[in-house]
Amino acid sequence: MEKGIVVYSSISVVHRARKLLKKKHVATHVVQLPSDLGLKGCSYGLECALEDMDGILAYSHEKNLNMKAAYKMTETESGKVYTAYDLS
Amino acid sequence: MIYLDNAATTLEKPGVVYKTYFDAVRRYSANAGRGGHRMAMRASEMVSDAAEAVAELFKIDAPERIAFTCNTTLALNLAIHGLLKAGDHVVITGMEHNSVLRPVVHSGCAYSVAAADGFGCIAPAAVANAMRKNTRLVIVNHISNVCGQIQDIDAISKVVHARGAFLLVDAAQSAGVTAIDVVRQRIDMLAFAGHKGLMGPLGTGGLYVGAHVELSPLLQGGSGSESENVYQPSTMPDLLVSGTVNAPAIAALGSAVRYVQALGESALLSHERALADAFCARLREIPQVKLYRSETGGSGVVSLNIAHKNPVEVSSELDTKFGIAVRSGLHCAPLAHKSLSTYPAGTVRFSFGYFNTMRDVEKATDAIYKICKA
Ligand SMILES: Cc1ncc(COP(=O)(O)O)c(C=O)c1O
Protein backbone atom coordinates (compact mmCIF):
# COMPACT_ATOMS: atom_id res chain seq x y z
CA MET A 1 0.00 0.00 0.00
CA GLU A 2 1.27 3.48 -0.83
CA LYS A 3 0.47 6.71 0.99
CA GLY A 4 1.60 10.31 0.86
CA ILE A 5 3.18 12.06 3.85
CA VAL A 6 3.58 15.81 4.16
CA VAL A 7 5.80 17.18 6.93
CA TYR A 8 5.16 20.74 8.10
CA SER A 9 7.31 23.05 10.18
CA SER A 10 5.51 22.48 13.46
CA ILE A 11 2.69 20.53 15.02
CA SER A 12 0.51 23.67 14.97
CA VAL A 13 0.89 23.88 11.21
CA VAL A 14 0.10 20.18 10.90
CA HIS A 15 -3.19 20.66 12.73
CA ARG A 16 -4.02 23.80 10.79
CA ALA A 17 -3.33 22.06 7.48
CA ARG A 18 -5.49 19.11 8.48
CA LYS A 19 -8.41 21.37 9.33
CA LEU A 20 -8.12 23.44 6.18
CA LEU A 21 -7.94 20.29 4.06
CA LYS A 22 -10.94 18.81 5.84
CA LYS A 23 -12.95 21.86 4.82
CA LYS A 24 -12.00 21.02 1.23
CA HIS A 25 -13.10 17.41 1.84
CA VAL A 26 -9.55 16.07 1.63
CA ALA A 27 -9.07 13.38 4.26
CA THR A 28 -5.75 13.28 6.08
CA HIS A 29 -4.61 12.25 9.51
CA VAL A 30 -1.79 13.23 11.80
CA VAL A 31 0.99 10.68 12.17
CA GLN A 32 4.23 10.63 14.09
CA LEU A 33 7.23 10.08 11.84
CA PRO A 34 10.23 7.86 12.52
CA SER A 35 13.05 9.88 14.05
CA ASP A 36 15.65 8.30 11.74
CA LEU A 37 14.14 10.08 8.74
CA GLY A 38 16.52 12.93 9.59
CA LEU A 39 13.81 15.57 9.46
CA LYS A 40 14.70 19.14 10.09
CA GLY A 41 11.41 20.21 11.50
CA CYS A 42 8.36 18.71 13.06
CA SER A 43 8.23 15.04 13.98
CA TYR A 44 4.63 14.90 12.86
CA GLY A 45 3.08 14.94 9.45
CA LEU A 46 -0.14 14.43 7.56
CA GLU A 47 -0.77 11.09 5.95
CA CYS A 48 -2.96 11.19 2.86
CA ALA A 49 -3.94 9.18 -0.19
CA LEU A 50 -1.11 9.30 -2.71
CA GLU A 51 -3.39 10.68 -5.41
CA ASP A 52 -4.19 13.69 -3.16
CA MET A 53 -0.53 14.52 -2.60
CA ASP A 54 0.09 17.00 -5.43
CA GLY A 55 -3.12 18.85 -4.64
CA ILE A 56 -2.16 19.07 -0.96
CA LEU A 57 1.30 20.38 -1.78
CA ALA A 58 -0.10 23.03 -4.12
CA TYR A 59 -2.74 24.04 -1.57
CA SER A 60 -0.14 24.21 1.22
CA HIS A 61 2.03 26.50 -0.91
CA GLU A 62 -1.00 28.65 -1.68
CA LYS A 63 -1.91 28.94 2.02
CA ASN A 64 1.70 29.53 3.12
CA LEU A 65 1.68 26.42 5.27
CA ASN A 66 5.37 25.97 5.90
CA MET A 67 6.43 22.50 4.68
CA LYS A 68 9.69 20.76 5.49
CA ALA A 69 9.48 17.57 3.46
CA ALA A 70 7.17 15.17 1.67
CA TYR A 71 7.42 11.40 1.21
CA LYS A 72 5.85 8.58 -0.61
CA MET A 73 5.41 5.89 2.01
CA THR A 74 5.23 2.27 0.89
CA GLU A 75 4.24 -0.48 3.26
CA THR A 76 6.32 -3.55 2.54
CA GLU A 77 6.62 -6.85 4.36
CA SER A 78 9.79 -5.60 6.04
CA GLY A 79 8.21 -2.31 7.16
CA LYS A 80 7.46 1.18 5.87
CA VAL A 81 9.75 2.63 3.24
CA TYR A 82 9.89 6.41 2.82
CA THR A 83 10.94 7.90 -0.52
CA ALA A 84 11.49 11.65 -0.77
CA TYR A 85 8.83 13.42 -2.83
CA ASP A 86 9.44 16.68 -4.67
CA LEU A 87 7.96 19.50 -2.59
CA SER A 88 7.52 21.91 -5.46
CA MET B 1 -16.89 40.44 48.16
CA ILE B 2 -16.81 43.01 45.36
CA TYR B 3 -13.83 42.26 43.21
CA LEU B 4 -12.26 45.36 41.68
CA ASP B 5 -8.78 43.98 41.04
CA ASN B 6 -9.26 42.86 37.46
CA ALA B 7 -5.99 44.47 36.35
CA ALA B 8 -4.16 41.91 38.49
CA THR B 9 -6.23 39.06 37.12
CA THR B 10 -9.88 38.59 36.28
CA LEU B 11 -11.46 36.54 39.04
CA GLU B 12 -14.69 35.49 37.38
CA LYS B 13 -14.43 33.77 33.99
CA PRO B 14 -17.09 32.99 31.39
CA GLY B 15 -18.77 29.62 32.06
CA VAL B 16 -17.30 28.10 28.91
CA VAL B 17 -13.80 28.69 30.25
CA TYR B 18 -14.42 26.58 33.38
CA LYS B 19 -16.08 23.91 31.28
CA THR B 20 -13.25 23.65 28.77
CA TYR B 21 -10.68 23.66 31.54
CA PHE B 22 -12.27 20.92 33.63
CA ASP B 23 -13.05 18.76 30.59
CA ALA B 24 -9.48 19.10 29.41
CA VAL B 25 -8.01 18.33 32.84
CA ARG B 26 -10.18 15.27 33.20
CA ARG B 27 -10.16 13.90 29.71
CA TYR B 28 -7.44 15.37 27.52
CA SER B 29 -4.45 15.81 29.75
CA ALA B 30 -1.94 13.78 27.79
CA ASN B 31 1.27 15.57 26.84
CA ALA B 32 0.72 17.84 23.82
CA GLY B 33 3.24 17.30 21.03
CA ARG B 34 4.83 14.32 22.74
CA GLY B 35 4.00 11.00 21.14
CA GLY B 36 1.78 9.87 18.33
CA HIS B 37 -1.12 8.35 20.28
CA ARG B 38 -4.54 9.87 19.97
CA MET B 39 -4.57 11.39 23.45
CA ALA B 40 -1.36 13.30 22.80
CA MET B 41 -2.75 14.33 19.40
CA ARG B 42 -5.95 15.56 21.00
CA ALA B 43 -3.96 17.65 23.49
CA SER B 44 -1.79 19.20 20.77
CA GLU B 45 -4.88 19.89 18.70
CA MET B 46 -6.41 21.83 21.61
CA VAL B 47 -3.28 23.96 21.80
CA SER B 48 -3.36 24.56 18.04
CA ASP B 49 -7.05 25.51 18.22
CA ALA B 50 -6.27 28.04 20.93
CA ALA B 51 -3.44 29.48 18.81
CA GLU B 52 -5.89 29.87 15.92
CA ALA B 53 -8.35 31.71 18.14
CA VAL B 54 -5.66 34.09 19.38
CA ALA B 55 -4.40 34.58 15.82
CA GLU B 56 -7.87 35.57 14.64
CA LEU B 57 -8.32 38.00 17.49
CA PHE B 58 -5.04 39.84 16.86
CA LYS B 59 -5.18 39.41 13.04
CA ILE B 60 -2.06 37.25 13.01
CA ASP B 61 -1.88 35.37 9.72
CA ALA B 62 0.17 32.40 10.95
CA PRO B 63 -0.93 30.94 14.34
CA GLU B 64 2.40 29.15 14.70
CA ARG B 65 4.02 32.55 15.29
CA ILE B 66 2.40 32.48 18.75
CA ALA B 67 4.25 30.90 21.67
CA PHE B 68 2.06 30.26 24.69
CA THR B 69 3.64 31.14 28.01
CA CYS B 70 2.57 31.01 31.65
CA ASN B 71 2.16 34.80 31.88
CA THR B 72 3.01 38.12 30.23
CA THR B 73 6.28 38.38 32.11
CA LEU B 74 7.72 35.27 30.47
CA ALA B 75 6.52 36.49 27.06
CA LEU B 76 8.27 39.85 27.59
CA ASN B 77 11.46 38.11 28.73
CA LEU B 78 11.45 35.82 25.67
CA ALA B 79 11.16 38.87 23.43
CA ILE B 80 13.64 41.12 25.21
CA HIS B 81 16.40 38.60 25.89
CA GLY B 82 15.76 36.85 22.59
CA LEU B 83 16.26 39.98 20.51
CA LEU B 84 18.82 42.16 22.26
CA LYS B 85 22.54 41.83 21.68
CA ALA B 86 25.49 43.65 23.22
CA GLY B 87 25.68 47.18 21.83
CA ASP B 88 21.94 47.52 21.21
CA HIS B 89 19.98 50.44 22.61
CA VAL B 90 16.42 50.10 23.89
CA VAL B 91 13.66 52.63 24.41
CA ILE B 92 11.03 51.98 27.04
CA THR B 93 8.35 54.38 28.20
CA GLY B 94 7.71 56.10 31.48
CA MET B 95 4.69 53.84 32.01
CA GLU B 96 6.41 50.44 31.90
CA HIS B 97 5.87 47.62 34.35
CA ASN B 98 8.79 45.96 36.12
CA SER B 99 8.32 42.99 33.78
CA VAL B 100 9.77 45.27 31.09
CA LEU B 101 12.12 47.43 33.15
CA ARG B 102 13.88 44.59 34.95
CA PRO B 103 14.66 42.41 31.92
CA VAL B 104 15.88 45.48 30.03
CA VAL B 105 18.18 46.45 32.90
CA HIS B 106 19.31 42.82 33.24
CA SER B 107 20.15 42.68 29.52
CA GLY B 108 22.96 45.17 30.14
CA CYS B 109 21.93 47.17 27.06
CA ALA B 110 21.79 50.95 27.25
CA TYR B 111 18.24 52.20 27.48
CA SER B 112 16.34 55.49 27.44
CA VAL B 113 12.93 56.28 28.85
CA ALA B 114 10.38 58.10 26.67
CA ALA B 115 8.71 60.41 29.17
CA ALA B 116 4.99 60.35 29.86
CA ASP B 117 2.93 63.43 30.65
CA GLY B 118 1.20 63.81 34.02
CA PHE B 119 -1.71 61.65 32.83
CA GLY B 120 0.51 58.81 31.67
CA CYS B 121 0.26 59.63 27.97
CA ILE B 122 3.31 58.96 25.75
CA ALA B 123 3.61 61.36 22.83
CA PRO B 124 5.09 59.76 19.70
CA ALA B 125 7.59 62.65 19.64
CA ALA B 126 8.83 61.57 23.10
CA VAL B 127 9.57 58.12 21.65
CA ALA B 128 11.32 59.67 18.64
CA ASN B 129 13.45 61.87 20.90
CA ALA B 130 14.50 58.90 23.02
CA MET B 131 15.63 56.84 20.02
CA ARG B 132 19.26 56.65 18.92
CA LYS B 133 20.99 55.36 15.80
CA ASN B 134 21.49 51.94 17.42
CA THR B 135 18.00 51.64 18.93
CA ARG B 136 16.94 48.09 18.13
CA LEU B 137 13.84 47.79 20.22
CA VAL B 138 11.08 50.07 21.50
CA ILE B 139 8.76 48.68 24.18
CA VAL B 140 5.41 50.28 24.85
CA ASN B 141 2.81 49.50 27.48
CA HIS B 142 -0.48 49.60 25.54
CA ILE B 143 -2.82 50.25 28.51
CA SER B 144 -1.45 51.38 31.83
CA ASN B 145 -2.06 49.07 34.76
CA VAL B 146 -1.88 52.11 37.04
CA CYS B 147 -4.15 54.76 35.51
CA GLY B 148 -5.74 53.09 32.46
CA GLN B 149 -4.13 55.45 29.93
CA ILE B 150 -4.32 53.97 26.41
CA GLN B 151 -1.33 54.72 24.20
CA ASP B 152 -1.64 55.58 20.51
CA ILE B 153 0.12 52.46 19.17
CA ASP B 154 -0.51 53.40 15.51
CA ALA B 155 1.30 56.73 15.84
CA ILE B 156 4.13 55.30 17.96
CA SER B 157 4.57 52.43 15.51
CA LYS B 158 5.14 54.89 12.65
CA VAL B 159 7.87 56.68 14.59
CA VAL B 160 9.55 53.41 15.59
CA HIS B 161 9.56 51.97 12.06
CA ALA B 162 10.66 55.23 10.43
CA ARG B 163 13.84 54.80 12.48
CA GLY B 164 14.27 51.09 11.72
CA ALA B 165 13.64 49.60 15.16
CA PHE B 166 11.33 46.80 16.29
CA LEU B 167 8.17 47.48 18.29
CA LEU B 168 7.27 45.24 21.22
CA VAL B 169 3.84 45.98 22.70
CA ASP B 170 3.08 44.98 26.28
CA ALA B 171 -0.58 44.05 25.91
CA ALA B 172 -0.95 42.68 29.45
CA GLN B 173 -3.85 45.06 30.10
CA SER B 174 -5.17 45.52 26.57
CA ALA B 175 -5.49 41.99 25.16
CA GLY B 176 -9.19 41.22 24.95
CA VAL B 177 -10.11 44.69 26.15
CA THR B 178 -9.45 46.69 23.02
CA ALA B 179 -8.82 45.89 19.36
CA ILE B 180 -5.31 44.90 18.33
CA ASP B 181 -4.28 44.29 14.72
CA VAL B 182 -0.62 43.32 14.52
CA VAL B 183 -0.49 43.73 10.74
CA ARG B 184 -2.22 47.09 10.37
CA GLN B 185 -0.51 48.51 13.47
CA ARG B 186 2.85 47.01 12.47
CA ILE B 187 3.46 45.40 15.84
CA ASP B 188 6.58 43.25 15.54
CA MET B 189 6.07 41.44 18.84
CA LEU B 190 3.05 41.33 21.11
CA ALA B 191 3.23 40.04 24.68
CA PHE B 192 -0.20 39.32 26.12
CA ALA B 193 -1.84 38.01 29.26
CA GLY B 194 -4.40 35.24 28.99
CA HIS B 195 -5.62 35.63 32.56
CA LYS B 196 -6.60 39.31 32.56
CA GLY B 197 -8.85 40.92 29.92
CA LEU B 198 -9.08 37.74 27.87
CA MET B 199 -10.60 36.05 30.93
CA GLY B 200 -8.64 32.84 30.53
CA PRO B 201 -7.21 30.85 33.45
CA LEU B 202 -4.29 31.88 35.63
CA GLY B 203 -0.99 30.73 34.21
CA THR B 204 -1.71 31.74 30.62
CA GLY B 205 -0.19 34.29 28.30
CA GLY B 206 1.75 34.37 25.10
CA LEU B 207 4.09 36.05 22.69
CA TYR B 208 3.47 36.76 19.02
CA VAL B 209 6.65 37.15 17.00
CA GLY B 210 6.47 38.48 13.44
CA ALA B 211 8.03 36.26 10.77
CA HIS B 212 10.64 38.96 10.09
CA VAL B 213 11.91 38.99 13.70
CA GLU B 214 14.71 36.61 14.60
CA LEU B 215 14.91 35.64 18.23
CA SER B 216 17.31 33.40 20.03
CA PRO B 217 15.64 31.11 22.55
CA LEU B 218 15.82 32.08 26.20
CA LEU B 219 15.13 28.48 27.26
CA GLN B 220 16.31 25.27 25.69
CA GLY B 221 14.89 21.81 26.09
CA GLY B 222 12.49 19.23 24.76
CA SER B 223 10.15 20.50 22.08
CA GLY B 224 8.78 17.21 20.77
CA SER B 225 10.46 17.97 17.44
CA GLU B 226 13.92 17.49 15.90
CA SER B 227 14.90 15.42 18.91
CA GLU B 228 18.17 14.34 17.30
CA ASN B 229 19.28 17.98 17.06
CA VAL B 230 21.38 19.25 20.00
CA TYR B 231 20.20 22.79 19.24
CA GLN B 232 16.74 24.21 19.81
CA PRO B 233 14.62 23.96 16.61
CA SER B 234 14.52 27.21 14.68
CA THR B 235 10.83 26.95 13.81
CA MET B 236 8.12 28.69 15.82
CA PRO B 237 6.65 28.00 18.27
CA ASP B 238 9.15 25.24 19.16
CA LEU B 239 11.96 27.80 19.15
CA LEU B 240 10.48 29.47 22.22
CA VAL B 241 8.51 26.70 23.91
CA SER B 242 10.50 24.08 25.80
CA GLY B 243 8.99 21.48 28.07
CA THR B 244 5.46 20.32 28.75
CA VAL B 245 2.81 22.96 28.17
CA ASN B 246 -0.26 23.55 30.31
CA ALA B 247 -2.63 22.27 27.63
CA PRO B 248 -5.86 22.42 29.68
CA ALA B 249 -5.25 26.06 30.60
CA ILE B 250 -4.33 26.90 27.01
CA ALA B 251 -7.45 25.14 25.74
CA ALA B 252 -9.54 27.14 28.20
CA LEU B 253 -7.80 30.30 27.03
CA GLY B 254 -8.88 29.37 23.50
CA SER B 255 -12.50 29.23 24.68
CA ALA B 256 -12.09 32.54 26.49
CA VAL B 257 -10.77 34.17 23.33
CA ARG B 258 -13.73 32.87 21.32
CA TYR B 259 -16.07 34.25 23.99
CA VAL B 260 -14.44 37.70 23.91
CA GLN B 261 -14.45 37.67 20.12
CA ALA B 262 -18.18 36.91 20.07
CA LEU B 263 -18.84 39.93 22.31
CA GLY B 264 -17.47 42.15 19.56
CA GLU B 265 -14.46 44.39 19.16
CA SER B 266 -13.74 46.58 22.19
CA ALA B 267 -16.92 45.40 23.98
CA LEU B 268 -14.95 45.01 27.20
CA LEU B 269 -13.45 48.47 26.86
CA SER B 270 -16.89 50.08 26.42
CA HIS B 271 -18.30 48.27 29.45
CA GLU B 272 -15.33 48.82 31.74
CA ARG B 273 -14.89 52.43 30.67
CA ALA B 274 -18.57 53.18 31.35
CA LEU B 275 -18.15 51.84 34.89
CA ALA B 276 -14.92 53.77 35.42
CA ASP B 277 -16.53 56.98 34.06
CA ALA B 278 -19.45 56.65 36.46
CA PHE B 279 -17.06 55.90 39.33
CA CYS B 280 -14.95 58.98 38.58
CA ALA B 281 -18.01 61.21 38.10
CA ARG B 282 -19.24 60.35 41.62
CA LEU B 283 -15.81 60.72 43.18
CA ARG B 284 -15.19 64.14 41.68
CA GLU B 285 -17.73 65.40 44.20
CA ILE B 286 -15.46 64.45 47.11
CA PRO B 287 -12.78 67.10 47.64
CA GLN B 288 -10.41 64.75 49.54
CA VAL B 289 -10.18 62.40 46.56
CA LYS B 290 -7.53 62.90 43.90
CA LEU B 291 -8.07 60.86 40.77
CA TYR B 292 -5.38 59.67 38.36
CA ARG B 293 -7.01 58.92 35.07
CA SER B 294 -6.65 59.87 31.44
CA GLU B 295 -8.50 63.04 30.51
CA THR B 296 -9.52 61.55 27.18
CA GLY B 297 -11.04 58.42 28.68
CA GLY B 298 -8.90 55.49 29.62
CA SER B 299 -9.71 51.86 30.27
CA GLY B 300 -11.52 50.46 33.31
CA VAL B 301 -8.47 51.12 35.50
CA VAL B 302 -8.60 54.12 37.85
CA SER B 303 -6.10 55.15 40.51
CA LEU B 304 -6.83 57.51 43.36
CA ASN B 305 -5.54 58.82 46.63
CA ILE B 306 -7.39 60.15 49.64
CA ALA B 307 -5.89 63.17 51.38
CA HIS B 308 -3.88 62.29 54.49
CA LYS B 309 -4.35 58.55 54.04
CA ASN B 310 -1.77 56.04 52.93
CA PRO B 311 -3.01 53.94 49.97
CA VAL B 312 -2.33 50.70 51.85
CA GLU B 313 -4.53 51.87 54.75
CA VAL B 314 -7.33 52.64 52.31
CA SER B 315 -7.20 49.30 50.55
CA SER B 316 -7.07 47.45 53.82
CA GLU B 317 -10.12 49.35 55.09
CA LEU B 318 -11.97 48.64 51.84
CA ASP B 319 -11.24 44.95 52.28
CA THR B 320 -11.94 44.51 55.95
CA LYS B 321 -14.86 46.93 56.46
CA PHE B 322 -16.55 46.93 53.08
CA GLY B 323 -15.59 43.65 51.42
CA ILE B 324 -14.07 45.39 48.40
CA ALA B 325 -10.90 43.99 46.79
CA VAL B 326 -8.56 46.58 45.26
CA ARG B 327 -4.79 46.88 45.00
CA SER B 328 -2.67 49.64 46.49
CA GLY B 329 0.99 50.62 46.38
CA LEU B 330 3.22 50.73 43.32
CA HIS B 331 1.54 47.98 41.26
CA CYS B 332 4.97 46.70 40.11
CA ALA B 333 5.26 49.90 38.08
CA PRO B 334 7.52 52.41 39.89
CA LEU B 335 8.25 54.17 36.59
CA ALA B 336 4.56 54.84 36.03
CA HIS B 337 4.14 56.16 39.55
CA LYS B 338 7.10 58.47 39.05
CA SER B 339 5.45 59.75 35.86
CA LEU B 340 2.19 60.38 37.73
CA SER B 341 4.04 61.92 40.72
CA THR B 342 2.62 59.27 43.04
CA TYR B 343 5.96 57.65 43.89
CA PRO B 344 6.87 56.20 46.42
CA ALA B 345 3.57 55.73 48.27
CA GLY B 346 1.66 54.84 45.12
CA THR B 347 -2.12 54.87 44.79
CA VAL B 348 -5.24 52.83 45.43
CA ARG B 349 -6.19 51.14 42.16
CA PHE B 350 -9.74 50.19 41.22
CA SER B 351 -9.90 48.03 38.10
CA PHE B 352 -13.28 47.15 36.67
CA GLY B 353 -13.90 44.00 34.70
CA TYR B 354 -16.48 42.56 32.37
CA PHE B 355 -18.51 41.03 35.21
CA ASN B 356 -18.69 44.18 37.33
CA THR B 357 -21.88 46.22 37.38
CA MET B 358 -23.05 49.73 38.21
CA ARG B 359 -24.07 48.37 41.62
CA ASP B 360 -20.40 47.58 42.30
CA VAL B 361 -19.56 51.18 41.33
CA GLU B 362 -22.16 52.50 43.79
CA LYS B 363 -20.91 50.28 46.60
CA ALA B 364 -17.31 51.30 45.98
CA THR B 365 -18.09 55.02 45.86
CA ASP B 366 -20.25 54.76 48.99
CA ALA B 367 -17.36 53.08 50.77
CA ILE B 368 -14.98 55.85 49.73
CA TYR B 369 -17.44 58.50 50.97
CA LYS B 370 -17.53 56.75 54.33
CA ILE B 371 -13.73 56.44 54.54
CA CYS B 372 -13.37 60.15 53.73
CA LYS B 373 -15.97 61.15 56.32
CA ALA B 374 -14.48 59.03 59.14
C1 LIG C 1 1.32 46.40 32.07
C2 LIG C 1 1.69 45.07 32.61
N1 LIG C 1 2.70 44.40 32.05
C3 LIG C 1 3.07 43.18 32.49
C4 LIG C 1 2.41 42.57 33.53
C5 LIG C 1 2.82 41.21 33.99
O1 LIG C 1 1.80 40.33 33.70
P1 LIG C 1 1.78 38.82 34.23
O2 LIG C 1 1.33 38.89 35.63
O3 LIG C 1 0.81 38.13 33.32
O4 LIG C 1 3.15 38.30 34.09
C6 LIG C 1 1.34 43.23 34.15
C7 LIG C 1 0.65 42.63 35.30
O5 LIG C 1 -0.14 43.19 35.96
C8 LIG C 1 0.97 44.50 33.66
O6 LIG C 1 -0.06 45.16 34.19
Side-chain angles (χ1 to χ4, degrees), chain B residues 7-8 71-73 76 97 99 141 143 145 170 172-173 193 195-196:
Chain B
N71 52 37
T72 326
T73 303
L76 288 162
H97 191 272
S99 57
N141 175 331
I143 296 187
N145 61 311
D170 174 357
Q173 297 295 337
H195 63 103
K196 298 180 194 267

Side-chain angles (χ1 to χ4, degrees), chain B residues 324-357:
Chain B
I324 297 174
V326 297
R327 183 173 171 197
S328 60
L330 292 178
H331 312 99
C332 301
L335 279 181
H337 281 284
K338 283 178 184 162
S339 300
L340 299 173
S341 306
T342 49
Y343 185 87
T347 54
V348 189
R349 180 186 73 188
F350 293 74
S351 49
F352 297 95
Y354 182 67
F355 291 107
N356 286 123
T357 62

Side-chain angles (χ1 to χ4, degrees), chain B residues 234-245:
Chain B
S234 57
T235 46
M236 278 287 287
D238 300 2
L239 172 75
L240 300 183
V241 181
S242 284
T244 299
V245 299

